[in-house]
Amino acid sequence: MIAMTPELIGIITVGIALAGLIIGLVSWLRQDIDRLDKRIDNLAADLKEQAKEQTSFREEMIGRLSKLEGLLEGLREAITGKRAA
C-alpha cells in the first residue's frame, strides 16, 4: 500500500486544482463560442437583409434609368426627326 506522504498529498491537490481550473476554462470558452456564434448568425442575417435592400434599390434604379433613357431617346427623335439605330 502507498503511504500518504505530504509530497503525494501536495501532488494530488495540485492535480485536482489544475483539473478544476481546466474544466472551468473549457466551460467559459464554450459559453464564449456560443455567444460568438449568435453574433455571427445575427451579422449574417443583417448582411442578407442589406443585400436584399441593395437588390431592390438596384432594380429601382435600373427601372428609372430605363425610363430616362426612353425619354431621352424620344426627345432625340423629336428634335432630329430620326429614329435611333
CSV table of all heavy atoms in Angstrom, one decimal, residues 34-47:
chain,number,residue,atom,x,y,z
A,34,ASP,N,-20.4,30.1,-28.0
A,34,ASP,CA,-21.8,30.2,-28.2
A,34,ASP,C,-22.2,31.6,-28.5
A,34,ASP,O,-23.0,31.9,-29.4
A,34,ASP,CB,-22.6,29.6,-27.1
A,34,ASP,CG,-22.5,28.1,-27.0
A,34,ASP,OD1,-22.1,27.4,-28.0
A,34,ASP,OD2,-22.8,27.5,-25.9
A,35,ARG,N,-21.7,32.5,-27.7
A,35,ARG,CA,-22.1,34.0,-27.9
A,35,ARG,C,-21.6,34.5,-29.2
A,35,ARG,O,-22.3,35.2,-29.9
A,35,ARG,CB,-21.5,34.8,-26.7
A,35,ARG,CG,-22.3,34.7,-25.4
A,35,ARG,CD,-21.8,35.9,-24.5
A,35,ARG,NE,-20.4,35.8,-24.1
A,35,ARG,CZ,-19.9,35.2,-23.0
A,35,ARG,NH1,-20.8,34.6,-22.2
A,35,ARG,NH2,-18.7,35.1,-22.8
A,36,LEU,N,-20.4,34.0,-29.6
A,36,LEU,CA,-19.8,34.4,-30.9
A,36,LEU,C,-20.6,33.9,-32.0
A,36,LEU,O,-20.9,34.5,-33.0
A,36,LEU,CB,-18.4,34.0,-31.0
A,36,LEU,CG,-17.4,34.8,-30.2
A,36,LEU,CD1,-16.0,34.2,-30.3
A,36,LEU,CD2,-17.3,36.3,-30.7
A,37,ASP,N,-21.1,32.6,-31.9
A,37,ASP,CA,-21.9,32.0,-32.9
A,37,ASP,C,-23.2,32.8,-33.1
A,37,ASP,O,-23.7,33.0,-34.2
A,37,ASP,CB,-22.3,30.6,-32.5
A,37,ASP,CG,-21.1,29.6,-32.8
A,37,ASP,OD1,-20.2,30.0,-33.6
A,37,ASP,OD2,-21.2,28.5,-32.3
A,38,LYS,N,-23.8,33.2,-32.0
A,38,LYS,CA,-25.1,34.0,-32.1
A,38,LYS,C,-24.8,35.3,-32.8
A,38,LYS,O,-25.6,35.8,-33.6
A,38,LYS,CB,-25.7,34.2,-30.7
A,38,LYS,CG,-26.2,33.0,-30.1
A,38,LYS,CD,-26.7,33.2,-28.7
A,38,LYS,CE,-27.2,31.9,-28.1
A,38,LYS,NZ,-27.6,32.0,-26.7
A,39,ARG,N,-23.7,36.0,-32.4
A,39,ARG,CA,-23.4,37.3,-33.1
A,39,ARG,C,-23.1,37.1,-34.5
A,39,ARG,O,-23.5,37.9,-35.4
A,39,ARG,CB,-22.1,37.9,-32.4
A,39,ARG,CG,-22.4,38.4,-31.0
A,39,ARG,CD,-21.2,39.0,-30.4
A,39,ARG,NE,-20.8,40.2,-31.1
A,39,ARG,CZ,-19.7,40.9,-30.9
A,39,ARG,NH1,-18.8,40.5,-30.0
A,39,ARG,NH2,-19.4,42.0,-31.6
A,40,ILE,N,-22.4,36.0,-34.9
A,40,ILE,CA,-22.1,35.8,-36.3
A,40,ILE,C,-23.5,35.5,-37.1
A,40,ILE,O,-23.7,36.0,-38.2
A,40,ILE,CB,-21.2,34.6,-36.5
A,40,ILE,CG1,-19.8,35.0,-36.0
A,40,ILE,CG2,-21.1,34.1,-37.9
A,40,ILE,CD1,-18.8,33.9,-35.9
A,41,ASP,N,-24.4,34.7,-36.5
A,41,ASP,CA,-25.7,34.5,-37.1
A,41,ASP,C,-26.4,35.8,-37.3
A,41,ASP,O,-27.0,36.0,-38.3
A,41,ASP,CB,-26.5,33.5,-36.2
A,41,ASP,CG,-25.9,32.1,-36.3
A,41,ASP,OD1,-25.1,31.8,-37.2
A,41,ASP,OD2,-26.3,31.3,-35.4
A,42,ASN,N,-26.4,36.7,-36.3
A,42,ASN,CA,-27.1,38.0,-36.4
A,42,ASN,C,-26.4,38.8,-37.5
A,42,ASN,O,-27.2,39.5,-38.3
A,42,ASN,CB,-27.0,38.7,-35.1
A,42,ASN,CG,-27.9,38.1,-34.0
A,42,ASN,OD1,-28.8,37.4,-34.3
A,42,ASN,ND2,-27.6,38.4,-32.8
A,43,LEU,N,-25.1,38.8,-37.6
A,43,LEU,CA,-24.4,39.6,-38.6
A,43,LEU,C,-24.8,39.0,-40.0
A,43,LEU,O,-25.0,39.8,-41.0
A,43,LEU,CB,-22.9,39.6,-38.4
A,43,LEU,CG,-22.4,40.4,-37.3
A,43,LEU,CD1,-20.9,40.2,-37.0
A,43,LEU,CD2,-22.7,41.9,-37.5
A,44,ALA,N,-24.9,37.7,-40.1
A,44,ALA,CA,-25.2,37.1,-41.4
A,44,ALA,C,-26.6,37.5,-41.8
A,44,ALA,O,-26.9,37.8,-43.0
A,44,ALA,CB,-25.1,35.6,-41.3
A,45,ALA,N,-27.5,37.5,-40.9
A,45,ALA,CA,-28.9,37.9,-41.2
A,45,ALA,C,-29.0,39.3,-41.6
A,45,ALA,O,-29.7,39.7,-42.5
A,45,ALA,CB,-29.8,37.6,-40.0
A,46,ASP,N,-28.2,40.2,-40.9
A,46,ASP,CA,-28.1,41.6,-41.3
A,46,ASP,C,-27.6,41.8,-42.7
A,46,ASP,O,-28.1,42.6,-43.5
A,46,ASP,CB,-27.3,42.4,-40.3
A,46,ASP,CG,-27.9,42.6,-38.9
A,46,ASP,OD1,-29.2,42.3,-38.8
A,46,ASP,OD2,-27.2,42.9,-38.0
A,47,LEU,N,-26.5,41.0,-43.0
A,47,LEU,CA,-25.9,41.1,-44.4
A,47,LEU,C,-26.9,40.7,-45.4
A,47,LEU,O,-27.0,41.3,-46.5
A,47,LEU,CB,-24.7,40.3,-44.4
A,47,LEU,CG,-23.4,40.9,-43.8
A,47,LEU,CD1,-22.3,39.9,-43.8
A,47,LEU,CD2,-23.0,42.2,-44.4
